Amino acid sequence: MCSYVIETKRLTKKYGEQTAVNAVNIHVEKGRIYGLLGRNGAGKTTIMKMILGLTPVTSGEIDVLGQNIKGREKRVYPRIGAIIETPGFYPNLTGTENLEIFAKLRGTAAPNAVKNALDIVGLPYRDKKLFSKYSLGMKQRLGIANAILHDPELLILDEPTNGLDPIGIAVVRDFIKDLSTERGKTILISSHILSEIALLADDVGIIDHGVLLEENSMETLKRKNSKYILLQVSDIPKTSLVLERQFGVTDYSVQDDHSLRIYNTSLDMAAVNKALVVQDVAVISSQLCNDTLEDYFKKITGGEGIA
Amino acid sequence: MTIIFTEILKWKRNKTVWGIFILTAILGVFAVERACNISRSSPLMDSFGDLYTLAFKNLTSLFLPIVLGMFATTLFFDEQKNDTLKGLLIIPVSKAQLYFSKIAVVILMSLGLCLFTFVICIVGGLIAGGFTDLNTETILQAGLLFLAGGALIPVAMLPIIFLATLSKGYILPIGAVLLYLVPVVLVPSQLMGLHPLASVMGIYPHISPAAIEMANSWTGNAVITASPMTCSVSLLAIGIISIIVSVIVLQKKTF
Ligand SMILES: Nc1ncnc2c1ncn2[C@@H]1O[C@H](COP(=O)(O)OP(=O)(O)OP(=O)(O)O)[C@@H](O)[C@H]1O
Ligand SMILES: [Mg+2]
């Protein structure tokens, strides 16, 4: 009955007195990219660590791939690939040697898995360079390669583009998208960069101070925040009729008893106003709104927002 | 098995390992050098037993416990320092698996160093020459002694390895190794059956005849009251307790 790949139920984490994650219910659907968006210290990493069993859960439950995670770690974790914060590798080994160690420990990886994974992230195979001499971006790429080594169904990526240059970010973004669209992977990704999530995610969870403020599809979120005409009128049903019959407008949404949003901003509002008056509908106000996602994010987190 | 193998792979290009082997070689060469310089008519060096027990003593009395303590600390601490632990845990590799594989590596290291010194002794014995009793039987006895030392000293170090799993740095375990050694150096005979490292010393004389002389010089000819049985049981018991406590503490620890 539940088709979620990850579902948390009132997931809570306390570090002493501080509640880092507060009764969070997230729902990650199969084959989609779920973006966990929040500012520094919002609790993104902590949620991911709890899903991966790296830190104990204070209360609440986690279901992954259709089963409650508790006691089934051995069966569930091999189906997940993850990077948490900056990836850790052995500094005295090369990238290839590092991946070979992880591949051996996993035991499930295909024979040429290491080479494939390195190819995907654009790192050379059997290069002599030691991990300790890697740049931040190379380290991050190696981390991603390690996460996809065993072809997992679910990827949990904590700020995977951290430290990458703009071109690197675009490359990683493209192949994360490919993993989802072409290979049907489910991906949970966190970021504090709104534009990144906006470009990548199908669904978004906005988290602030450990509380999940909103969970919605990107489509809905974008729609909520695109350009629209906010129309406040005395009679919504009559207005709807006028809009549909006389102007052929179907792309609008009703906000409450007295206001609706029209997403076709090129509509001749003077004509609409006239038509409404004819129908005995009082037009209280009509204004063009242009909220960006960022404005929205600021509004719901009640803070200064994020870049 | 794979996990032990990968533990060894992790040490590729590591300078510490080379350093340890070079120091071990130097210690072995010291013993051989003594064998070359002391006449075969002196009771100090009139048999192959004198040579190999000297080399064995050089290796196992202080050097090996210190090296193994430090090595174990690095094994556990580096996994934390390099931040590789989370990567291993989500594979998932359990903390107990990780602990046992690292213990296995410590034992392999210990056996390796003992075997290395053993080979130096044989080669050195041939080079120094004049050992009338250098034959298969004495070589076998020497081999057994080195094998026993290589296997038992890591067991005696398990309480220190417990501290290594617990601590967040190098200082505590390395300080503890030194403190651990002091009583054994001061009063070895009284501690046999109580202190693991002293217990190991109490076991050697029952493995190789030449080790009786060695144990006497160690303890200043004190009468050893503890039986080898008491020593073995105590060594094993303390080892097992250390393992259990280590695994429990590792499970509790979060990162
Ligand atoms: N081991 C810990 N002990 C105590 N508090 C912690 C610990 N780890 C995280 N916290 C606290 O929990 C809160 C959430 O941290 P978390 O790392 O999940 O944030 P985040 O959303 O990942 O932030 P960032 O964008 O900086 O990575 C923070 O206030 C942090 O101080
Ligand atoms: Mg984080």
Side-chain angles (χ1 to χ4, degrees):
Chain A
M1 56 151 228
C2 110
S3 63
Y4 297 120
V5 173
I6 302 177
E7 183 178 13
T8 68
K9 294 165 194 155
R10 303 196 58 76
L11 185 62
T12 301
K13 175 73 188 183
K14 289 193 175 126
Y15 288 112
E17 288 290 283
Q18 186 201 0
T19 308
V21 174
N22 195 351
V24 164
N25 303 310
I26 63 171
H27 306 85
V28 181
E29 282 174 51
K30 191 169 165 49
R32 290 173 73 92
I33 302 177
Y34 187 106
L36 204 52
L37 182 64
R39 306 181 54 194
N40 293 136
K44 306 179 292 291
T45 302
T46 307
I47 291 177
M48 291 179 158
K49 278 188 175 169
M50 285 192 285
I51 296 172
L52 292 165
L54 290 173
T55 189
V57 170
T58 306
S59 69
E61 275 171 47
I62 305 169
D63 287 354
V64 175
L65 294 156
Q67 40 198 338
N68 194 300
I69 200 104
K70 229 178 166 64
R72 295 193 184 81
E73 292 88 348
K74 276 213 150 53
R75 247 178 296 160
V76 174
Y77 291 158
R79 298 164 69 186
I80 307 178
I83 331 180
I84 295 297
E85 294 178 326
T86 45
F89 288 103
Y90 302 100
N92 55 319
L93 305 180
T94 66
T96 308
E97 287 165 349
N98 265 296
L99 288 196
E100 272 163 358
I101 284 186
F102 284 95
K104 281 205 175 72
L105 288 173
R106 289 198 178 276
T108 51
N112 53 353
V114 171
K115 187 174 186 309
N116 284 346
L118 286 171
D119 278 351
I120 292 178
V121 297
L123 283 176
Y125 180 60
R126 295 229 169 274
D127 188 25
K128 293 260 186 306
K129 199 173 203 133
L130 301 184
F131 179 72
S132 56
K133 303 271 187 293
Y134 269 27
S135 72
L136 186 58
M138 290 170 84
K139 288 180 180 176
Q140 206 69 24
R141 282 171 204 226
L142 192 65
I144 297 171
N146 185 30
I148 56 176
L149 197 62
H150 51 302
D151 198 26
E153 295 157 60
L154 168 63
L155 283 165
I156 296 181
L157 308 173
D158 188 18
E159 315 217 16
T161 53
N162 209 351
L164 293 176
D165 56 39
I167 295 173
I169 292 178
V171 170
V172 168
R173 188 198 304 135
D174 283 348
F175 89 68
I176 289 177
K177 264 220 174 326
D178 280 354
L179 283 172
S180 155
T181 51
E182 279 165 33
R183 308 178 64 179
K185 311 278 184 215
T186 308
I187 298 168
L188 172 63
I189 186 169
S190 82
S191 179
H192 59 272
I193 304 167
L194 179 67
S195 58
E196 267 312 298
I197 294 291
L199 284 170
L200 205 53
D202 300 315
D203 299 304
V204 185
I206 298 176
I207 181 161
D208 195 52
H209 291 100
V211 180
L212 189 68
L213 295 175
E214 167 146 7
E215 187 182 51
N216 234 320
S217 75
M218 197 68 224
E219 216 175 300
T220 315
L221 219 60
K222 275 191 176 146
R223 157 159 291 219
K224 264 194 191 171
N225 302 289
S226 53
K227 275 190 183 175
Y228 59 88
I229 297 160
L230 183 67
L231 195 61
Q232 287 186 293
V233 289
S234 57
D235 190 327
I236 291 283
K238 271 190 187 166
T239 309
S240 299
L241 268 172
V242 169
L243 284 172
E244 285 173 27
R245 297 262 167 85
Q246 299 184 24
F247 297 90
V249 173
T250 49
D251 196 12
Y252 67 88
S253 65
V254 177
Q255 296 301 113
D256 53 49
D257 288 351
H258 293 285
S259 62
L260 51 72
R261 288 177 178 191
I262 303 165
Y263 297 102
N264 177 3
T265 49
S266 58
L267 200 64
D268 181 356
M269 284 315 290
V272 172
N273 280 348
K274 224 182 240 165
L276 286 173
V277 172
V278 170
Q279 291 297 320
D280 213 16
V281 177
V283 176
I284 302 157
S285 83
S286 146
Q287 67 191 85
L288 183 68
C289 296
N290 191 3
D291 284 2
T292 61
L293 268 182
E294 201 181 327
D295 294 329
Y296 181 68
F297 190 81
K298 275 185 202 166
K299 197 174 79 200
I300 75 165
T301 59
E304 313 90 272
I306 47 181
Chain B
M1 261 348 267
T2 324
I3 173 166
I4 296 173
F5 179 58
T6 57
E7 277 301 326
I8 296 167
L9 284 184
K10 289 175 195 171
W11 285 87
K12 197 171 175 180
R13 275 190 284 273
N14 197 300
K15 293 187 194 81
T16 324
V17 176
W18 287 109
I20 292 172
F21 270 89
I22 289 168
L23 284 175
T24 308
I26 292 173
L27 280 178
V29 168
F30 272 151
V32 173
E33 191 259 350
R34 293 255 296 168
C36 291
N37 290 338
I38 299 176
S39 151
R40 292 296 161 269
S41 52
S42 156
L44 281 176
M45 200 48 80
D46 58 358
S47 71
F48 179 55
D50 288 329
L51 169 59
Y52 78 74
T53 52
L54 176 65
F56 184 78
K57 208 173 122 180
N58 283 353
L59 176 69
T60 59
S61 59
L62 291 174
F63 180 71
L64 195 58
I66 293 175
V67 161
L68 293 184
M70 285 168 58
F71 184 64
T73 308
T74 342
L75 274 178
F76 283 98
F77 186 66
D78 277 4
E79 214 74 76
Q80 226 167 307
K81 192 183 74 187
N82 299 334
D83 211 6
T84 39
L85 194 61
K86 63 187 180 199
L88 299 175
L89 294 178
I90 57 179
I91 284 180
V93 171
S94 76
K95 288 176 184 166
Q97 276 174 313
L98 209 59
Y99 172 80
F100 286 112
S101 67
K102 291 195 186 298
I103 297 292
V105 171
V106 171
I107 293 174
L108 282 177
M109 177 67 145
S110 170
L111 286 172
L113 294 177
C114 285
L115 178 73
F116 185 45
T117 308
F118 171 59
V119 171
I120 291 176
C121 283
I122 297 171
V123 175
L126 291 171
I127 293 172
F131 292 111
T132 49
D133 62 338
L134 179 54
N135 55 33
T136 356
E137 199 193 334
T138 50
I139 287 178
L140 205 68
Q141 285 170 357
L144 273 178
L145 183 65
F146 277 104
L147 190 66
L152 295 179
I153 289 181
V155 177
M157 295 306 287
L158 283 170
I160 294 292
I161 298 176
F162 161 66
L163 284 179
T165 61
L166 187 79
S167 79
K168 287 191 154 61
Y170 295 104
I171 315 288
L172 173 69
I174 289 168
V177 173
L178 299 178
L179 282 180
Y180 195 58
L181 281 167
V182 170
V184 185
V185 172
L186 295 179
V187 282
S189 56
Q190 286 94 319
L191 287 173
M192 288 179 188
L194 295 172
H195 190 302
L197 275 174
S199 298
V200 174
M201 287 184 186
I203 296 172
Y204 296 146
H206 303 272
I207 290 170
S208 144
I212 299 172
E213 209 179 304
M214 174 182 76
N216 284 339
S217 81
W218 230 325
T219 56
N221 288 315
V223 185
I224 297 172
T225 46
S227 74
M229 200 58 192
T230 323
C231 288
S232 313
V233 169
S234 138
L235 176 66
L236 211 64
I238 294 177
I240 290 172
I241 292 170
S242 304
I243 290 175
I244 295 172
V245 176
S246 302
V247 172
I248 293 174
V249 166
L250 276 176
Q251 299 296 353
K252 290 258 164 72
K253 198 169 165 182
T254 60
F255 301 93

